[in-house]
Amino acid sequence: EKDTRTRSIKTNEELIPLTKDHERLLSKFSETVGLDLSEHHLYEFKRDILAIQKNSAAKALLQQLFPIRLGQRIGRIEDGVFTPDNRIGRDFDLREASAYEIADEKELDDYLRGKEIGKEMKEGYYVLRYDNLNLGIESVNPKNDQFTNTFPREWQRK
């Protein structure tokens, strides 16, 4: 028997330009870490902030493609706080963020398993690196002066 149900097609109706308040929050973060988003259109999708590269094809594609496939999630705004997506430390040049070199394979393994790493870190954002490779961005948890581990769960080691 043939399935006659229609699949619901996702639309871009929930994709909206950033509000002025959210622009300010993102701008403050961008200045802190040296993130240049001038070559991107910025949108909100639910609470996520998406950056879509500016080019002539993007506008036409947005009419047909669901934006998450076209853009990149750079963070989320909840309760007036911008939380960056871990991956922007890997995918963007954050000129003003400090770098933290993961010391050895044991520390790397701990990080990839979702554990907090680092000791007596000063408050702020850091790009975590291992063997000249940017792994992500983390902030320091003021309760224990270690990095809050936001490495994506789906990529974590078991």
Side-chain angles (χ1 to χ4, degrees):
E1 184 175 311
K2 192 173 182 180
D3 187 358
T4 56
R5 288 177 294 177
T6 57
R7 290 187 306 148
S8 64
I9 297 170
K10 293 181 177 175
T11 68
N12 292 342
E13 289 169 9
E14 294 179 77
L15 187 71
I16 58 170
L18 262 59
T19 64
K20 292 289 181 213
D21 283 348
H22 290 180
E23 268 182 24
R24 276 192 290 276
L25 282 173
L26 184 56
S27 180
K28 185 178 176 194
F29 169 78
S30 296
E31 285 173 24
T32 301
V33 299
L35 173 62
D36 179 6
L37 293 169
S38 62
E39 294 300 313
H40 292 79
H41 295 288
L42 301 173
Y43 297 97
E44 290 185 50
F45 177 72
K46 299 186 177 176
R47 288 184 301 267
D48 290 343
I49 306 301
L50 298 177
I52 299 175
Q53 208 164 29
K54 289 180 180 175
N55 62 43
S56 57
K59 224 171 200 156
L61 286 171
L62 273 175
Q63 306 306 312
Q64 299 165 23
L65 281 181
F66 196 51
I68 291 177
R69 289 178 181 53
L70 183 61
Q72 177 162 355
R73 181 181 180 270
I74 59 170
R76 163 172 276 236
I77 293 179
E78 286 182 295
D79 301 323
V81 176
F82 174 75
T83 304
D85 189 285
N86 177 281
R87 297 169 188 129
I88 69 169
R90 182 196 67 196
D91 298 338
F92 287 88
D93 179 22
L94 306 179
R95 297 180 311 274
E96 301 296 322
S98 299
Y100 175 82
E101 285 292 333
I102 292 178
D104 52 34
E105 286 189 21
K106 162 80 173 90
E107 190 175 36
L108 176 65
D109 188 62
D110 284 347
Y111 180 65
L112 296 178
R113 290 180 190 279
K115 296 178 182 174
E116 291 189 344
I117 62 169
K119 288 183 176 58
E120 299 175 23
M121 301 301 302
K122 288 189 170 78
E123 197 175 333
Y125 290 102
Y126 293 78
V127 175
L128 271 60
R129 299 174 50 83
Y130 182 74
D131 196 23
N132 293 317
L133 181 70
N134 290 352
L135 300 177
I137 188 173
E138 298 292 355
S139 62
V140 174
N141 181 342
K143 292 179 185 164
N144 63 9
D145 297 328
Q146 290 184 298
F147 293 113
T148 303
N149 192 318
T150 62
F151 192 73
R153 285 203 193 307
E154 66 269 20
W155 296 351
Q156 285 181 7
R157 292 180 174 174
K158 302 288 178 214

